[in-house]
Amino acid sequence: MKLAPHASRTRLLDAALQVVRTKGYTATTVDDICHGADVTKGSFFHHFKGKEDLALAAIEHWNAMAANLFASAPYRQLADPRDRVFGYVDFRTDILRGALFEFTCLLGTMVQETYATHPAIRDACNRGIFGHAATVAEDIAQAKVLYAPDADWRPESVASFTQAAIQGAFILAKAQDGPEIAAQCVGHLRRYLEMLLNYPAAERRTP
């Protein structure tokens, strides 16, 4: 059965998310993507000029999926912004499951390989990572007003740190071929945020 044009494009993008997170950008070939999507090379080149063009589209596809995932997460319904901050961190822990490619970040994977050789990909990854950090910063800023109004740190900087800790946790998970070390790192991130936002000491978690 012949796929509708939009369906074959989506299948190629979905395949790219899996294959690149599994093999890395450099090792991934157009043939790998076509095989993963179960479409022909002709279909690939109907939609994309080449691998980099696909990568840029895959980043946008990833950003849209991630935005929907986090916008619909249960912690978004919490009234207290500090609870939302901790709910975000707990949600990041909850999704550390399955194969490595299922929970690691496409953007972090790609930017490590391409930052010096593919500036368009690097810049797209940068926009995606810091665009997500900006949404985290909004809750941190609201929580700071309520719980740490006199602190001298900036919410945007702390939000960037959350992404550094999470991306680093993904690297360690790859090194150890499993999510356990990543969960421990994210647990320490939570403890750090608890201290910044003056969470009651008796209720703080031990990673």
Side-chain angles (χ1 to χ4, degrees), residues 12 65 69 114 150 172-173 178-179:
L12 286 162
M65 291 176 58
L69 174 68
T114 65
D150 298 324
L172 296 187

Side-chain angles (χ1 to χ4, degrees), residues 76-162:
R76 295 306 315 162
Q77 304 306 313
L78 300 174
D80 189 312
R82 186 171 68 177
D83 289 342
R84 291 199 299 273
V85 172
F86 299 139
Y88 167 76
V89 176
D90 293 342
F91 184 68
R92 299 295 314 224
T93 301
D94 289 342
I95 59 178
L96 291 171
R97 60 185 62 186
L100 286 170
F101 79 85
E102 294 178 294
F103 66 80
T104 50
C105 178
L106 177 78
L107 309 184
T109 298
M110 292 181 69
V111 78
Q112 290 177 64
E113 293 186 65
T114 65
Y115 71 94
T117 56
H118 295 76
I121 295 177
R122 177 197 64 214
D123 292 346
C125 290
N126 178 65
R127 289 191 298 272
I129 291 169
F130 283 93
H132 178 69
T135 67
V136 179
E138 292 175 4
D139 286 334
I140 294 174
Q142 293 175 29
K144 184 178 186 295
V145 170
L146 295 176
Y147 297 106
D150 298 324
D152 61 359
W153 48 265
R154 296 186 303 107
E156 295 78 12
S157 180
V158 174
S160 296
F161 176 74
T162 67

